[in-house]
Amino acid sequence: MPFTEIKPSMPLYYTISGSGAPVVFIHPPHMGHHVFKYQHEALSKHYQIITYDLRGHGDSGNIDDYSTIQTHSKDLALFLDNIEVSKAIIVGYSAGGSIAQDFAIRYPSRVKALVLAGGFSEVSTVLLRSQFHLGMNLVQNGKSQLLSKLLAKTHKITLEDQKLVYQDCIKADPQTAYQFYESSMEYKCTDYLNTIHCPVLLLYGQFSHIRSYEKLYEQYLPQMESVLISKALHQLPIRKHLSFNHALLNFLKDI
């Protein structure tokens, strides 16, 4: 399995397929790279598709320090250095979008385009905050297995999807996953969105409450593009992979 050590005793697991412009996918808390399995299969015909497990998640290593969004953003910079990618299209799913946005703000020269699937620049609604608290409470109370089952079931199409997603989820270090949830909930980059000058695509499910953040992005990123995926909730990369991939390809063909 491919690993790269970005810090002493902290290897990151990653996968690369295809060739062309690199596209890097970032997963949410308590998950792993298999949530992008359908992107590897379809998009690698057109681009170099890169997925990786964040520190303390999936097959990646971990070190004993507090993990914040900024920590994960710096990890991404080191990871790209190690695999010799100077500039990439960055795709963040759900709270993985917080890392993607932070990376675009901190390292603008390294981001060719930014894609946020179910993204938000701050957690300002009661419903979204309550979902973060649910994940944090399950992890904190020793119910990571239950959380893993819930995530795997809500993200799957096939039983094979469910198995792969669950295998990633169950490997998550509870403390690191909790810190990812907590730092994502407190992270706010709204006031810095106007410093993002690369092309931006927003993807939302028609029935996802998170789509309300589209109006906020319109205020700060008036040039961004937005696609609403019909009959979809929040779980887009697997559950709506055909529409997800189609929207991504349409956006990237002009980049």
Side-chain angles (χ1 to χ4, degrees):
M1 294 189 294
F3 289 89
T4 182
E5 191 171 70
I6 63 168
K7 292 183 179 181
S9 302
M10 197 181 83
L12 293 188
Y13 174 85
Y14 68 99
T15 64
I16 297 181
S17 59
S19 61
V23 185
V24 181
F25 291 82
I26 308 173
H27 65 77
H30 214 274
M31 299 194 74
H33 70 279
H34 279 116
V35 74
F36 302 117
K37 60 172 286 190
Y38 288 100
Q39 284 64 59
H40 262 295
E41 294 173 3
L43 302 183
S44 59
K45 300 172 184 177
H46 309 276
Y47 298 94
Q48 183 183 60
I49 302 303
I50 303 169
T51 62
Y52 71 108
D53 292 333
L54 300 174
R55 63 161 68 193
H57 289 74
D59 291 311
S60 287
N62 203 11
I63 54 177
D64 189 21
D65 63 354
Y66 190 86
S67 299
T68 65
I69 295 302
Q70 293 81 0
T71 302
H72 288 296
S73 184
K74 292 175 183 177
D75 285 353
L76 177 55
L78 293 171
F79 168 61
L80 294 181
D81 287 343
N82 280 15
I83 62 172
E84 300 182 343
V85 171
S86 60
K87 193 170 187 176
I89 297 151
I90 306 296
V91 183
Y93 166 47
S94 191
S98 297
I99 299 171
Q101 289 170 100
D102 191 74
F103 187 80
I105 292 167
R106 291 176 181 273
Y107 307 95
S109 65
R110 307 198 68 172
V111 181
K112 190 171 185 179
L114 177 65
V115 180
L116 303 175
F120 42 89
S121 60
E122 59 184 82
V123 178
S124 55
T125 66
V126 173
L127 186 53
L128 183 54
R129 186 168 287 271
S130 67
Q131 290 181 328
F132 273 95
H133 279 299
L134 174 61
M136 292 164 66
N137 288 338
L138 288 173
V139 172
Q140 192 174 41
N141 292 314
K143 297 181 179 179
S144 292
Q145 185 176 21
L146 174 58
L147 178 58
S148 298
K149 289 180 179 179
L150 289 172
L151 290 170
K153 187 172 184 178
T154 55
H155 280 79
K156 61 96 175 175
I157 296 177
T158 69
L159 290 177
E160 178 65 16
D161 298 337
Q162 186 170 348
K163 178 182 177 181
L164 290 173
V165 172
Y166 178 79
Q167 287 175 347
D168 280 347
C169 293
I170 202 65
K171 294 175 184 176
D173 172 66
Q175 183 177 1
T176 307
Y178 181 91
Q179 291 168 358
F180 189 3
Y181 275 120
E182 185 176 50
S183 61
S184 299
M185 186 174 65
E186 301 304 327
Y187 182 74
K188 180 179 179 180
C189 65
T190 304
D191 294 338
Y192 299 95
L193 289 176
N194 58 8
T195 67
I196 298 175
H197 300 297
C198 65
V200 178
L201 172 67
L202 304 180
L203 295 170
Y204 292 107
Q206 179 183 1
F207 303 128
S208 171
H209 65 90
I210 298 177
R211 62 177 289 201
S212 63
Y213 284 90
E214 182 181 7
K215 295 180 179 179
L216 188 151
Y217 282 108
E218 288 175 348
Q219 298 176 34
Y220 291 86
L221 294 172
Q223 302 304 316
M224 63 84 183
E225 297 181 35
S226 181
V227 173
L228 191 65
I229 296 180
S230 64
K231 300 179 181 179
L233 294 170
H234 183 59
Q235 298 84 359
L236 300 177
I238 290 180
R239 297 293 293 270
K240 289 293 181 177
H241 64 93
L242 292 177
S243 298
F244 181 100
N245 293 346
H246 179 73
L248 192 53
L249 286 173
N250 276 345
F251 172 69
L252 294 180
K253 70 181 181 181
D254 298 323
I255 302 301

